[in-house]
Amino acid sequence: TVKASEDVGSIAVPENHELVVEGQAKMIYPKIKNTVFYNPVQVQNRDLSVLMIALYAERRAKRMGIKSKKKEIRRLEKQDKSLEEQLDEFVKSTDWSSVVKRDAKTSGLNVLDALAASGLRSIRYWKEIPGVRQVIINDMEEVAVEQARKNIDFNELSAILIKDESCDSNSETSYGIRLSCGDATHLMYMSRRPPNLFQHSITQKAQHDQFDVIDL
């Protein structure tokens, strides 16, 4: 953190505020009691979350790639090598970290930060984890959501802020960060529809797609 009234590069920190820099994210945080919650003790927890979700994204991409490749092999009916041999060659010859980055907009992770407060964790997820398609910043308090909006602007991410209210990960406007002000339990309950369905039942039409990652 940086003391108030100091300039950090081109960043002017106002009085009664401090600059919080964590990972690749930063925010101007007010030094006022009962303000939006930020816990500096949990920095290592957030570091670990970034690492684990990034690892999950790569393993998920690998699992999806193997499933798709298996269908392709069976469709082509190649007989020179067994299915297992062909899959093994495919796995070893593929750079999965590159696949994660390449497919972020089409099949990347749909992440919910259910109790987001300032939104700093969400911003770190977006900036530091390859393969994220959408991050939903949710909090029940309007002041917290507004603080998250300011932090999005402060991190120069306004261009990817999703304007519509849908939480569907397969909508045309699903790539980016979405703000949500509401009850986390209700949001999770209404987001239980399996993704990538060709048809939706009457009940499913009222639901949103499931999240790949939920941070509580």
Side-chain angles (χ1 to χ4, degrees):
T1 60
V2 182
K3 294 181 180 179
S5 299
E6 289 189 9
D7 285 337
V8 184
S10 60
I11 302 173
V13 182
E15 290 290 340
N16 300 318
H17 287 70
E18 62 181 346
L19 175 65
V20 177
V21 180
E22 187 179 305
Q24 295 180 25
K26 58 185 183 292
M27 70 175 177
I28 298 293
Y29 190 72
K31 295 180 178 180
I32 305 173
K33 290 184 178 180
N34 301 320
T35 190
V36 178
F37 181 72
Y38 167 69
N39 188 354
V41 178
Q42 292 296 315
V43 172
Q44 289 185 335
N45 176 280
R46 289 186 283 270
D47 289 344
L48 184 60
S49 294
V50 168
L51 292 173
M52 294 306 296
I53 296 173
L55 178 61
Y56 168 67
E58 189 167 319
R59 291 187 174 182
R60 173 178 175 269
K62 183 177 179 180
R63 185 174 66 250
M64 294 170 63
I66 291 173
K67 183 178 180 180
S68 177
K69 187 65 175 180
K70 188 180 293 185
K71 291 181 179 179
E72 177 187 330
I73 293 172
R74 286 173 173 167
R75 185 176 67 252
L76 296 175
E77 296 182 348
K78 292 183 178 180
Q79 302 297 330
D80 55 330
K81 293 182 181 179
S82 68
L83 175 63
E84 290 72 19
E85 288 176 320
Q86 294 180 68
L87 289 176
D88 186 58
E89 290 179 359
F90 168 69
V91 170
K92 291 180 178 179
S93 63
T94 302
D95 182 351
W96 295 105
S97 60
S98 297
V99 171
V100 167
K101 296 176 184 178
R102 183 196 67 196
D103 296 342
K105 289 187 177 182
T106 56
S107 58
L109 294 175
N110 187 25
V111 181
L112 170 64
D113 190 358
L115 308 172
S118 67
L120 185 67
R121 180 188 293 264
S122 301
I123 293 170
R124 288 196 61 184
Y125 286 173
W126 180 262
K127 299 184 77 170
E128 298 177 39
I129 302 174
V132 172
R133 184 178 188 185
Q134 180 176 198
V135 176
I136 295 181
I137 301 177
N138 180 77
D139 201 279
M140 185 177 287
E141 300 292 336
E142 291 184 7
V143 64
V145 176
E146 184 56 34
Q147 180 66 46
R149 186 187 300 277
K150 292 178 180 178
N151 289 333
I152 290 172
D153 292 340
F154 190 57
N155 284 270
E156 300 179 343
L157 295 174
S158 298
I160 51 89
L161 182 62
I162 301 170
K163 307 299 182 182
D164 68 78
E165 297 179 355
S166 169
C167 292
D168 290 349
S169 62
N170 60 357
S171 67
E172 293 181 357
T173 58
S174 65
Y175 183 74
I177 299 175
R178 191 188 307 274
L179 291 170
S180 170
C181 185
D183 187 332
T185 56
H186 177 72
L187 178 56
M188 289 185 287
Y189 180 75
M190 294 303 296
S191 303
R192 61 188 192 278
R193 182 177 65 202
N196 303 320
L197 293 178
F198 292 105
Q199 293 183 335
H200 297 149
S201 66
I202 295 176
T203 301
Q204 289 170 338
K205 288 180 180 179
Q207 299 172 351
H208 300 302
D209 287 349
Q210 295 172 347
F211 298 106
D212 299 299
V213 175
I214 297 177
D215 191 304
L216 294 174

